[in-house]
Amino acid sequence: TSKFNSEIAKVQSQISGLDKNVKNTSTNMTKSFGSLAAKVISVGAIIKATASSITRAMNYIEDENLFQVSMKKWADSTRDWSKQVQDSVGVSAAWLRKYSGVMTNMTASMGLAQDQAVQLGRGVALLSNDIASFYNISAESAFEKIQSAMAGMPRPLQELGIMVRDSEVKQTAYANGIARTGEELNTQQKALATYRAILQRASNAQGDLARIINSPANQMRMLKTSIIDLGVAIGTMFQPLLSVVLP
């Protein structure tokens, strides 16, 4: 019996040793795979971030082309203006150029003189950021609401309580000498009157970004601007590599 118990003890000891070896091996393999996975994830994250930056840089180039073509001889002065606004209130200069260019192109196609279209484009880009700050929405959303109103679809702005229906636009045109009382507005007059009506009815929002620039929401917008601009800069650095890799 004692011999049997002794053999049993040996077997248990061997099993215990085997169990420790298996656990140690498993732990080492887990660490190895964990380290490898971490490296793969890190490389994947870098590749994803680089790809995103390159995409932003490519979009930036397209946006700058739209801006340059839309602004014509006012491109340089508008570029300087966008940089001054960024230095003052932290709004991305690239964002201002893109959206002022979009609005300038839109209103010029509606019959406005180029200098009027440029001034209106700048104004809408700034107002979009003030409305975004005042109503705590994105600047892109604010711009789209104004753009819809300029195209004769005021409902998106009405959701914010800014009423620029056809009757309000006509009253604004007559009151500001844009058109004679009682006459129908042409496309150019309607564009000017709509913008003036928006300015009047969004007076509480005007300048809001500058007033509360240190609010958490606006600070977050400024941080987002910095991150986007950094991404564009990084993407621009990698773009020459694409011309080598891609046919």
Side-chain angles (χ1 to χ4, degrees), residues 151-202:
M153 297 176 285
R155 180 175 291 276
L157 266 184
Q158 290 177 21
E159 294 172 356
L160 300 179
I162 302 173
M163 309 302 291
V164 285
R165 295 168 298 189
D166 190 60
S167 57
E168 281 93 357
V169 171
K170 285 183 177 179
Q171 290 173 6
T172 301
Y174 302 150
N176 290 274
I178 296 173
R180 293 180 180 177
T181 302
E183 73 177 12
E184 286 299 314
L185 306 183
N186 60 33
T187 305
Q188 177 185 356
Q189 291 169 329
K190 192 169 184 178
L192 289 171
T194 299
Y195 177 58
R196 183 67 66 88
I198 293 171
L199 286 176
Q200 291 175 352
R201 288 158 179 77

Side-chain angles (χ1 to χ4, degrees), residues 139-155:
E140 289 80 7
S141 177
F143 178 87
E144 288 168 2
K145 290 177 185 296
I146 296 174
Q147 186 180 40
S148 293
M150 295 295 294
M153 297 176 285
R155 180 175 291 276

Side-chain angles (χ1 to χ4, degrees), residues 15-74:
I15 291 174
S16 177
L18 180 61
D19 181 58
K20 289 180 180 178
N21 288 336
V22 170
K23 287 183 178 179
N24 289 336
T25 302
S26 176
T27 301
N28 291 335
M29 289 178 66
T30 301
K31 288 181 178 179
S32 297
F33 279 117
S35 177
L36 178 60
K39 290 178 181 178
V40 170
I41 292 172
S42 297
V43 171
I46 291 171
I47 292 174
K48 184 177 180 180
T50 302
S52 177
S53 294
I54 291 174
T55 299
R56 285 176 177 171
M58 293 173 69
N59 290 338
Y60 170 78
I61 291 171
E62 293 298 323
D63 294 341
E64 286 295 299
N65 179 64
L66 180 149
F67 165 77
Q68 194 72 32
V69 172
S70 299
M71 291 297 178
K72 296 182 170 45
K73 67 179 183 179
W74 286 271

Side-chain angles (χ1 to χ4, degrees), residues 238-247:
F238 277 95
Q239 276 201 309
L241 185 61
L242 287 180
S243 62
V244 176
V245 176
L246 298 179

Side-chain angles (χ1 to χ4, degrees), residues 37-162:
K39 290 178 181 178
V40 170
I41 292 172
S42 297
V43 171
I46 291 171
I47 292 174
K48 184 177 180 180
T50 302
S52 177
S53 294
I54 291 174
T55 299
R56 285 176 177 171
M58 293 173 69
N59 290 338
Y60 170 78
I61 291 171
E62 293 298 323
D63 294 341
E64 286 295 299
N65 179 64
L66 180 149
F67 165 77
Q68 194 72 32
V69 172
S70 299
M71 291 297 178
K72 296 182 170 45
K73 67 179 183 179
W74 286 271
D76 289 342
S77 61
T78 303
R79 188 179 302 280
D80 292 339
W81 162 82
S82 70
K83 292 177 181 177
Q84 290 171 3
V85 174
Q86 178 167 329
D87 292 341
S88 176
V89 293
V91 177
S92 169
W95 192 99
L96 290 169
R97 291 195 295 273
K98 173 184 177 179
Y99 286 96
S100 63
V102 170
M103 185 54 63
T104 296
N105 188 61
M106 176 181 175
T107 52
S109 70
M110 296 170 77
L112 267 67
Q114 186 64 28
D115 59 337
Q116 286 182 313
V118 169
Q119 291 301 319
L120 194 150
R122 293 181 184 178
V124 168
L126 277 180
L127 183 60
S128 297
N129 282 276
D130 280 332
I131 289 176
S133 174
F134 190 73
Y135 291 98
N136 196 28
I137 60 177
S138 70
E140 289 80 7
S141 177
F143 178 87
E144 288 168 2
K145 290 177 185 296
I146 296 174
Q147 186 180 40
S148 293
M150 295 295 294
M153 297 176 285
R155 180 175 291 276
L157 266 184
Q158 290 177 21
E159 294 172 356
L160 300 179
I162 302 173

